[in-house]
Amino acid sequence: RNGPLSVGVDIGRCRDLTVMWVLEREGEVLVTRGVRESVGEPFRDQYRALRELLSLREVARCCIDAGGIGMALAEAAVDEFGGSRVEPVTFTAAVKDELANRLRLRVEERTIRIPADEAIRNDWHSVRRSVTTAGPSRYEAARSGGGHADRFWAACLAVRAAGQSAGVIEHLRGPSLRFGREGIW
């Protein structure tokens, strides 16, 4: 490893996979260095694997699925490794749209390298985007024996972890500021 590592974790248990996706930054390119998948694994074993991964000094940041059953693992990881290193992410329509668009741009720009693996390819291709008139796009994937687009979402979270910002930058417009001629001004 030469560059910092970023980790994305999508939590599952019985019907879905738990996937830990590890990216290394090489200049502008993100290279997949590891993909860990498990199904039916007890949460204590999932956390043990996550702790082992986050204990590596090279891991700069981790984004972890904090919705539903992932909430407890995300909270434990933040408590142990700090909020600046571990970001809990709750999947909403807007968050999914942002995550999927970041990954799509990386793929289109050819600045991400992924394993040549049929399960990963099928998982990524299982995601369907539908445009809504009321807001962000919706992303859905059919549930199969190989998961529920878990590899895709773990990769999305890893790309977010590798990014500079932790979210969308918002801009608010208000009245011009007026400074009084009192005090230190």
Side-chain angles (χ1 to χ4, degrees):
R1 294 179 296 262
N2 298 320
L5 299 177
S6 302
V7 178
V9 184
D10 186 51
I11 304 294
R13 177 67 188 265
C14 298
R15 295 186 308 170
D16 296 332
L17 300 172
T18 292
V19 181
M20 297 179 191
W21 196 287
V22 181
L23 294 173
E24 177 184 7
R25 179 177 292 280
E26 288 185 356
E28 290 300 311
V29 178
L30 299 176
V31 180
T32 301
R33 292 298 181 206
V35 179
R36 181 189 188 273
E37 302 173 1
S38 66
V39 64
E41 183 177 33
F43 290 121
R44 70 177 172 281
D45 295 340
Q46 290 182 32
Y47 188 71
R48 189 175 301 129
L50 179 61
R51 178 189 292 139
E52 185 177 320
L53 186 58
L54 292 176
S55 294
L56 297 173
R57 289 180 11 164
E58 294 87 356
V59 174
R61 194 153 176 256
C62 173
C63 288
I64 184 170
D65 168 18
I69 63 173
M71 188 180 301
L73 269 68
E75 286 178 3
V78 169
D79 287 346
E80 186 169 349
F81 295 98
S84 62
R85 195 151 173 235
V86 178
E87 178 188 357
V89 178
T90 302
F91 287 165
T92 63
V95 168
K96 282 185 169 185
D97 193 34
E98 180 247 330
L99 291 172
N101 280 320
R102 281 188 191 204
L103 182 61
R104 179 185 55 83
L105 288 172
R106 284 277 179 184
V107 170
E108 288 176 359
E109 294 169 350
R110 298 176 187 233
T111 57
I112 187 168
R113 304 289 183 266
I114 64 170
D117 182 82
E118 186 176 350
I120 291 172
R121 186 188 73 232
N122 291 342
D123 193 87
W124 284 32
H125 286 290
S126 73
V127 178
R128 297 288 172 245
R129 176 178 173 246
S130 59
V131 180
T132 65
T133 57
S137 300
R138 289 181 47 134
Y139 294 87
E140 299 173 328
R143 192 173 304 280
S144 68
H148 188 58
D150 306 304
R151 297 170 188 92
F152 175 81
W153 293 114
C156 286
L157 289 165
V159 168
R160 179 175 172 133
Q164 269 55 30
S165 68
V168 178
I169 298 172
E170 296 182 9
H171 174 75
L172 298 175
R173 179 166 285 224
S176 298
L177 297 175
R178 297 182 62 197
F179 296 100
R181 299 211 177 254
E182 299 173 3
I184 60 170
W185 297 103

